[in-house]
Each structure stands twice: as C-alpha cells, then as structure tokens.
Amino acid sequence: MTGTFVGMPAFPAAARDALDNAQLRANLDHATSTIRAKRAAVVGELEQWEALRIAGAAIKDDVLLRLDDHLLTLESALQDAGAVVHWARDAAEACRIVAEVARAHEADEVVKVKSMVTQEIGLNEALAAEGIAAWETDLAELIVQLGDDLPSHILVPAIHRNRSEVREIFLREMPDAPPGLTDDPARLAEAARMHLREKFLRAKVAVSGANFAVAETGTLVVVESEGNGRMCLTLPDVLVSVVGIEKVVPSWRDLEVFLQLLPRSSTGERMNPYTSTWSGVTAGDGPQEVHVVLLDNGRTRALADEIGRQALRCIRCSACLNACPVYERVGGHAYGSVYPGPIGAILNPLLRGVGSSDQVDSLPYASTLCGACYEVCPVLIDIPSVLVNLRAQVVDAHRSGLPKAEAVAMKTARATLSSSWRLALAERFTRIGLGAARRFGASAWTRSRDLPEAPQESFRKWWRRTGGRP
Amino acid sequence: MSARADIIGDVRRALAGAPPAPVIERNYLAPSTASTGEVIERFIERVADYQAVVERCDANEVAKRIARAIPQEGAVVVPAGLSWQVPGAVEDTGLSARELDAVHAVVTAATAGIAETGTILLQHGEAEGRRALSLVPDLHVCVIREDQIFAGVPEVMSQLDPRRPTTWISGPSATSDIELIRVEGVHGPRTLHVIVVGT
Ligand code: SF4
C-alpha cells in the first residue's frame, strides 16, 4: 500500500480540516439533527410511506430502463407546448447554449433559480466569461455567491455560515444593504428581498433547473420555498431550463408520488411552500420564449453501470446527507463537488468515471458503510452497495497489468453483495471503515458508527492549496 | 453527429442487456376513510400550521370577509374572472411587473386544495389570474370552496390540467437558510389569507 493508495488522500485530507473547524461542526450538528427530527415526524405521519418509496423507485427505474423512449416523448411534448428543445452532451455545450440564448436577447445578466445542475456545469463562471452576470436568487445561494464561497449542502448550501457571518457578508457585498442591518434572520431575509426585487423586475432572461420533467405532457416542475423560483419562472420574457436527462418521469400522475416523497424527505415539511409546473409557453402568462436544455454530462456513463445506475433515481432531497455520520462531521466541502454526502460519494465517480482523478476516486471511501443513507432514501438507492462496487472499480483502475487477488475478489463480489461482504471490504480497504467494522458485527449494521481521528491540514488551507484537486 | 443522436445512442448503448422495466405498483393509494367534514377541518388545520391566516364562512359572507382581509390603504388587484366584488380593487389588465410591485394585495379564487398537506393549487385561469398576479403583491387573499378540497395528493392530480401552468402554495413564502430558523416571507407574498367557503 502506497501513501496514495487508490486515491484515498483527497477526501480524508479535506475532511481533516473540516473536523478541526468547531464552528462548522456546530452548525452542521445543529442543522442535520434538526432536519432529521423534522423528517422523521412527517414521514411517520404517512402510513403509506414505504409503498410510496417502492413506487418512487419503480417509476424511476422505468424511466432509466426506457430512457431513450421517454426522452423522445418528452422532446415532442415540449415542442408541442411551444418550447425549444436543445441537447447538450457535456457542460461546455450546455453553457454555450444558455449563453447564446442570453446573447440573442442582448442580456448582460440573468436571474437564476437554485439548481444543482447549473452548479454542476459551472454555468455562472461560463456566463461570466461571456460578460453575462448570473444572479443567484435563493437566499442561501446568494450568501454563498456574495461570500465568494462554495455550497456545502444540497438543500441549505450556506449551512456552514452562521447569522453574524451572513450579516458581515451582506454589509460588505450588498451595496443596498440597510445600514442598521442586524443579524436577526428575519432582517437578513428582508435585506435579500429588497436586494433581489429590483433584479426580478428588470430581468429579461431567467435560468432554472427542474426537479422533474413529465415526458407525456412536457411539464417541468420546480420545487422551492422562497418564491424566488416563481419570480424567475414567471416575470422574465425568456426562460432557459437546464434539465439532466434522468429527471424525466413518465406521466403527470407520477408527480403524486414524488411530490409526497420529496418535501417530507428534504425539508421535513408536508409540502414545500411553492411548487411550479409549466408546459412550454402559456399565452399571456409568464415567459413567451421557453428553452429546455437536456443534459447528459456523464449520465449515460452512469447509466451503463449496472449497479451504479440506480444513483440516477436520486431526487436530490438530501436526506442521505443529514443521515450520514461522516457528512455530519466533515460537512459538504470535503467532498470537493457540488454533490456532497453519500449521494455525492457515488454520483461523482459514476458521472465522471473512475480512474481519472484521485479526488473522485477517493470519494467511495468517504463512508463507514453504515447504511443510514439507504434507510432514509425516498427512492431506495442502495448507496452502500454502489460504494462497495465503486471501490472495486477504483482498485481495478489503479492496478496495472493483471488484477490482483483482491481486485478479482471484489469484481466477483459485485454480483453478490451482502452485508458481510460490505463489512469485509470496508475492513480491508478503508481506514474510515476500519474502526467501525472492527467494533460492530453485521447485526449492528444500522447503528451509527465511529468516525476517523481528527486530522492535521486545515480544510481551508487544503482547499486554497489545491483548489479541490489532489 | 448531433448531440441529440449522440445522447440517444449513448443511452441505448448503456442499456444494452439491461433488464426490462419493472411493473409500477401503486400500493400507496389507500382509500381515505375521512368524512367530508374531517377533510375540510384537516385542510384548515394544516394551512394554519404554515402560519397562514385561514377562516371559514358561508357563501353569502364571502364579500364581507374579503373586504375585511384586504388593507384599508393601498392598491388591490383582482383577476378579471373573480366571482366576488372587491370594493376599490382594480382588475388585472396585464399590469407590468413593476406596476404589480406597487400593488399591496391580490384576491384570487383557487382551483383545488389538498387537506393532507394544507396546499392550495392555482391553475391560473380567469378566476385565479395569471401567475405574476398572485406572486408580486405582498398579501394574497385566496378564496376556496369546500367542494374544491380533496383528501390527498393523488386525489387532486386528476382534477388538474397538466398543460396549464400550476402553482402549488403551502403557506406564505419561507426560508430556513440562516441557521435553519424559519422566516416567513421572502420573495412571494409575505401573508397568505385563505377563506374557505361552505357550499
Ligand atoms: S440519494 Fe436518496 S436520500 Fe440521497 S439525495 Fe438522492 S434521493 Fe435523497
């Protein structure tokens, strides 16, 4: 075993400083335990919860296993509804399409709804390079953007900032911040409301993602809380939505499953304050020019992975982050990706491919394999099994010549994974898993596990030094 | 090759040898045993849970309740097809976003409601008004008839036209982005006032 065995340093090194940062840990502790409790309460309210999860997983599997048909159905339904459909193989292509739409309207700015996919493709940076400003309008995204920072949680991207830090950022970066601004969250939210209102009123072009895209009817769905989404989807003349190809659901009716699963899993509410659905252009109401960019960017690569493809069921609820003992201690930044936590640990290698970067290759090790993520996942993604399978792929990718005995064993294991296998593999191949695996037998599988020793290099230092790349 | 052909081709290659799609079992569809009265009560209770104002009245009282809900001062806008008279309100004739920003309150009808989640749905027809109308003003008064309220999410789906824009509203706009402390009212209406009308 060398010092950089199968790329392990990247995640652990990043995790080390995060573990040293007391403020971050306190914020994360508070946030994840609060959301966990809320989620448990509203999930417990629905007797049919397990049946919903099973249906949700089955609908998404149907989508993935017939994705070509569903995408073509979606395309024609969107076109019938008056939308312009674009296809983008990768991030650069998607960014170019969005920039072209903005330029066609001579827009030097766009307003944005929080969307994971536009972060994934680095849209803001790409637009900036074209002289187009992209204004994030979600409060947390605004905090992250103004603080020149990185999001650390799918749902609450500024979870690592406390109120006084937010106040400082606003006073420093918002020219129109009220002079006597206090750190009361209500006052801070009001400052953001005033700051963004003018941008909403003057915006010509908006950019969104979509939580779901209904193939049969060409309906896009955005789930949100603050109303910034509604502003972006309604007020500008032109709307561009970037949609990962896995976001499809077959029929309108399928939303009845996901609109129950998502808010309860995500914010722990019976329903989020606002959900908007629209199909192309509606005369006299909202944007009269509507573009939809269907994005691959590694999704077909993930789809080709027999065990890994279930990760594409993900509805980005972030329940697995809040349930994860590793995430709770180290936070989102340590994962070096817009997709942190357990889902990030599988999605990043699946989208980007194993063996191309040590940083990505280290992510399948960012887990104790305790299984808490699987237990809460509303679409039943068996994250531990996918992690173990990816570890085997990482091992393969880092060996030259004939695979060694362990690699062969792991390859064989892909087909017949079991709890004991997970334990054995965890014990063998991860330092993080090691302590845990020693302490607990397979019978204690779902109990929470121990975590790595607190480390040396500070995360901020590491990030500055490496920019997230090992 | 076009991006479209490439992506569809890659999807098909990725799925070569994949198992058939599963059967989707909708065992979550539990028939509701609640009476109509219980459904209405649950709706009211759950709307109130979101810190919305909610009241119930008979059909002949609606105009009076609306008049009480809107501010004494400040402009009020209504969609052209609203069935109730709102004194002093201007009818929406395609006001610009900036003009709407100067309006204090809006009164609209609803398309449907969901008791289980305390949700109001607008499909933005004549009586609900276009989307911007119920978004930009700071107070949204929404009138919903009892017979528009359904027990759960599945029951309401078939009532909706998927091709119409739809807004699902569950309480006033809110954020928990700062230390997870819930703050009502960010960009959407900061006050939601729901009037449930007996039929
Ligand atoms: S993997 Fe499951 S729990 Fe995690 S974000 Fe995706 S849907 Fe939610």
Side-chain angles (χ1 to χ4, degrees), chain A residues 219-235 252 255 259 271-279 282 285-287, chain B residues 43 106 108-114 117-125 128-136 140 142 144 148 156-157 159-173 187-189 192 194:
Chain A
T219 308
L220 299 193
V221 182
V222 164
V223 173
E224 54 135 352
S225 294
E226 296 172 12
N228 61 310
R230 292 177 68 194
M231 291 279 176
C232 292
L233 301 171
T234 308
L235 298 185
W252 172 251
L255 294 177
L259 292 179
M271 196 62 91
N272 50 291
Y274 298 135
T275 296
S276 299
T277 79
W278 73 100
S279 310
T282 305
D285 188 345
Chain B
F43 175 78
V106 57
T108 75
T111 309
I114 304 171
T117 59
T119 303
I120 287 163
L121 294 109
L122 307 182
Q123 285 223 293
H124 305 286
E128 302 101 309
R130 65 201 164 96
R131 283 174 283 174
L133 208 61
S134 43
L135 171 62
V136 182
H140 179 197
C142 186
I144 184 166
Q148 292 178 308
V156 92
M157 294 308 290
Q159 306 294 318
L160 302 172
D161 176 356
R163 288 175 179 84
R164 295 281 317 158
T166 307
T167 308
W168 303 49
I169 299 172
S170 306
S173 83
H187 302 295
L192 175 67
V194 180

Side-chain angles (χ1 to χ4, degrees), chain A residues 5 34 57 105 176 178 186 193 196 206 285 303 318 345 445 456:
Chain A
F5 178 62
T34 308
H105 293 273
D176 50 0
R193 175 186 170 99
L196 288 171
D285 188 345
L303 189 66
S318 71
W445 195 239
Q456 301 112 32

Side-chain angles (χ1 to χ4, degrees), chain A residues 154 262 265-266 310-311 313-321 340-344 346 373-374 376-381 383:
Chain A
I154 293 180
L262 180 53
S265 299
S266 174
Q310 58 183 308
R313 289 184 203 147
C314 175
I315 56 173
R316 311 278 189 266
C317 71
S318 71
C320 58
L321 278 63
I343 182 60
I346 60 172
C373 47
Y374 185 23
V376 295
C377 178
V379 285
L380 298 170
I381 301 171
I383 294 176

